[in-house]
Amino acid sequence: MKKVVVASVLAVATGTAFYLPAALALDDDQAQGAQSSQLTIKDPAEYNAYTNAVGQSAPAAKASAIEQFLTQYPNSVAKEEMLQQLMAAYEQAGQADKEVDAANRLLQVNPNNLRALTIVVYMEKKQTSDQSKLDDAAAKAKTALAAPKPPGLSDADYEKLKAATTPIFYDAEAVDASAKKDYKSAVEAYTAELKAYGDPAQTQAGPGLLATYNLGNAYVSQDPKDLVNGVWFLTRAAQYAPAGYKDQIEKAAEYWYKKYHCAQTDTACQTNVEGYAAIQQMAKANLFPPDTYKPVAAPPPPSPQELAHQAVTSTPDLKTLALADKEFILANGTPEDAGKVWDVLKDVTAEVPGTVVSATPDTVQLAVSEDAKASQKADFTVNMKAPLKEVPQAGAQVKFTATFDSYTQNPPMIILKDGEPPAAAKKPAAHRPVHHPSGK
C-alpha cells in the first residue's frame, strides 16, 4: 500500500533547535478508492489515459503520466483524484516544490481537501522568515479545521485523518501568531495543539515536544507575563528534551521560577531554587498543570513610595543624601516625605551637572539622573540669571551653578533659578623675578 508522507523537519524555535521525526502518513489507496467508486469516465480515450496514469509504479513516471492526463483532460471528472495522486507521486519522488504546487492546484478544485491543506500548511509554516507564507498557512489551517468530512471516506478513516492533521493546523496558527508577537493567540493555539494529541506520549518527542516548549515561551513573552504557566511548560519540555537541549531549557525554566518565587534579596532561594524539584517531578508525569501545582509567589518588592519613605526615615541628616536620592524622593515620596527633602534643598545654591536635552539663552533643560539620561528626558530646568552668550547643543555635558526654586512631582521636574555657567578658573599670578640689590 502506497503512503503519502509529510517529511520530518528541523524545527528552530527561539534559539533552540529540535529534530522532529514527525511523519504524517496519508493513505493514498484509500483516497483513490473512495473517489474512483464514484467516478464514471465515459470517453474511452480518457479512460485509457486515466488507467495508464494510475497504473504506473515508478513515482516519476506516474507524475509525468498524470500531468499529461491533466493537460489533455483539464475538465475531467477525475481531476480531484488525479491531483491527489499527483501529490503522492511527487512526495514519493522527493520533489517537495512540485508536491506543494499540486496541492495548491487541488485546492482550486476543492478548497476543503484536507490532504492538500495539510501539505500546503505544513510546508508554508516552516518558512518562518516569510510572514506572508505564515499568514497563508494560518488562514488555510482555519479552513481545514472547519472542513467537512470528505465524501466517500469512512468515519473511522476520517477520524484517523483528523487526528493526524489537527495538531498541524493548530501549530500553523500558533507559529503565525508568535511571529506577530500575538502571544495570547499563540497560547490558545499551542494549547489546542497539545490537547489535539490523542496520547500524552506524543508530546514527549517530535512536534508535540516542540509545541510544549513554544507554549512555555509564549506564556513568558506575554505582557503581562504568566510565569506560573510559563514555568510549567518549559519545565515539562525540559524533562523530555534531547540531551543537547535539556540543560538550556531547564535553566530558562529555573530563571523564570526564581523570578516568580524568590525575593531578590533571598540568596538561599536564588541559589538552591527551593521547591523546583517537586515541579520537575509533577511536570514529567503531567502534560497540563494538576490542581496540586501551586507555586508560591515571592512577596512584592517595595513600591517607589515605600523606598522613598525608607530613605527618609533611615537618614538622620537629609542633607547628606546624594542629589539622585533627593530627586527620587521628590518624585516618588508622599507629600510629607517629599516636603522634608525639599526643606533641605529650597534656596540652596549648588553646582548641577547634566546632559543638555534642550536649551535657549534663558533656559536649559538637563537630564541629570541616570534614568533621565538613558531616556533622554529632562528632569532639571535651569532658568538663567542672564541670557547665555553661547547656547549649548543638545547632548553636551555641562555644569551650571543655580539655586533650587521649585519642583513638580508629576511629571518629575526640579526647577532652579539664577543659573550661571561655572566661573572660569582664575589664572595663576605671573611670577616676577626678584632682583637682588647687589645685582646678583
Side-chain angles (χ1 to χ4, degrees):
M1 182 177 290
K2 305 180 185 71
K3 299 284 183 181
V4 181
V5 180
V6 175
S8 60
V9 298
L10 180 65
V12 181
T14 322
T16 304
F18 294 91
Y19 183 74
L20 304 177
L24 171 65
L26 305 178
D27 191 335
D28 180 25
D29 289 348
Q30 283 180 344
Q32 179 183 347
Q35 293 278 349
S36 299
S37 64
Q38 302 174 41
L39 296 177
T40 301
I41 300 177
K42 297 179 180 180
D43 182 359
E46 180 183 346
Y47 180 78
N48 289 336
Y50 168 84
T51 56
N52 174 65
V54 299
Q56 299 292 327
S57 58
K62 185 171 185 177
S64 178
I66 293 175
E67 291 283 20
Q68 185 176 352
F69 175 88
L70 292 170
T71 299
Q72 190 171 0
Y73 303 102
N75 300 314
S76 172
V77 294
K79 186 172 183 177
E80 182 174 354
E81 179 202 328
M82 294 300 272
L83 284 168
Q84 190 155 284
Q85 292 206 45
L86 184 61
M87 285 193 309
Y90 281 135
E91 169 68 25
Q92 292 164 357
Q95 295 178 287
D97 290 344
K98 290 186 176 181
E99 179 188 6
V100 174
D101 176 70
N104 278 313
R105 288 152 62 189
L106 175 51
L107 290 176
Q108 292 175 6
V109 178
N110 179 4
N112 290 319
N113 186 288
L114 274 177
R115 289 183 168 84
L117 286 167
T118 302
I119 295 297
V120 175
V121 168
Y122 192 88
M123 298 302 286
E124 285 189 339
K125 78 181 179 71
K126 294 194 296 179
Q127 302 183 47
T128 54
S129 60
D130 188 336
Q131 188 62 55
S132 65
K133 292 290 187 184
L134 296 182
D135 289 345
D136 188 65
K140 284 184 168 63
K142 289 184 187 297
T143 298
L145 289 167
K149 183 172 79 72
L153 193 64
S154 71
D155 290 344
D157 289 335
Y158 176 61
E159 290 305 317
K160 289 179 183 178
L161 182 59
K162 289 288 286 184
T165 58
T166 296
I168 293 174
F169 299 138
Y170 280 126
D171 191 73
E173 291 184 348
V175 171
D176 182 58
S178 294
K180 295 175 179 177
K181 301 188 185 304
D182 179 4
Y183 296 111
K184 180 177 183 296
S185 296
V187 163
E188 292 173 356
Y190 279 127
T191 301
E193 178 184 353
L194 292 181
K195 289 180 178 179
Y197 290 108
D199 181 355
Q202 292 176 282
T203 67
Q204 297 173 11
L209 175 58
L210 183 59
T212 305
Y213 171 72
N214 285 337
L215 178 55
N217 273 331
Y219 271 121
V220 300
S221 299
Q222 313 186 118
D223 186 19
K225 301 180 186 301
D226 182 343
L227 296 186
V228 172
N229 281 304
V231 167
W232 175 268
F233 288 103
L234 288 173
T235 302
R236 166 77 179 184
Q239 304 316 299
Y240 295 100
Y245 306 103
K246 178 181 176 66
D247 206 38
Q248 299 175 43
I249 301 172
E250 199 128 75
K251 285 180 179 177
E254 288 181 5
Y255 171 82
W256 292 116
Y257 175 71
K258 288 189 285 187
K259 280 281 187 183
Y260 181 79
H261 176 69
C262 300
Q264 294 180 358
T265 56
D266 189 345
T267 54
C269 180
Q270 295 281 345
T271 302
N272 301 323
V273 202
E274 61 184 24
Y276 185 64
I279 296 175
Q280 289 174 301
Q281 293 178 354
M282 278 191 286
K284 188 167 187 176
N286 300 275
L287 173 55
F288 291 99
D291 292 339
T292 53
Y293 174 62
K294 296 178 180 178
V296 178
S303 68
Q305 189 176 88
E306 290 171 332
L307 290 173
H309 184 68
Q310 289 174 13
V312 170
T313 55
S314 63
T315 306
D317 185 358
L318 296 179
K319 292 180 181 179
T320 62
L321 286 171
L323 178 58
D325 294 331
K326 292 173 182 174
E327 181 185 0
F328 180 85
I329 295 167
L330 290 176
N332 298 284
T334 63
E336 182 182 358
D337 288 335
K340 290 179 181 179
V341 170
W342 186 244
D343 286 344
V344 303
L345 277 178
K346 174 71 172 171
D347 296 327
V348 171
T349 300
E351 189 175 79
V352 178
T355 302
V356 176
V357 176
S358 64
T360 68
D362 298 314
T363 301
V364 178
Q365 289 204 319
L366 298 176
V368 176
S369 70
E370 292 305 315
D371 286 345
K373 290 178 181 178
S375 61
Q376 299 181 349
K377 291 183 179 179
D379 54 346
F380 277 63
T381 297
V382 181
N383 294 315
M384 308 311 299
K385 186 173 186 179
L388 292 169
K389 295 179 180 179
E390 295 184 10
V391 178
Q393 298 295 313
Q397 304 299 312
V398 298
K399 291 181 182 179
F400 289 102
T401 300
T403 302
F404 286 88
D405 187 38
S406 63
Y407 77 96
T408 61
Q409 194 168 57
N410 188 21
M413 179 66 70
I414 294 176
I415 299 128
L416 299 96
K417 64 182 180 180
D418 298 333
E420 294 181 302
K426 294 182 178 181
K427 295 182 179 179
H431 178 70
R432 296 181 179 181
V434 178
H435 296 282
H436 195 275
S438 64
K440 294 182 180 179

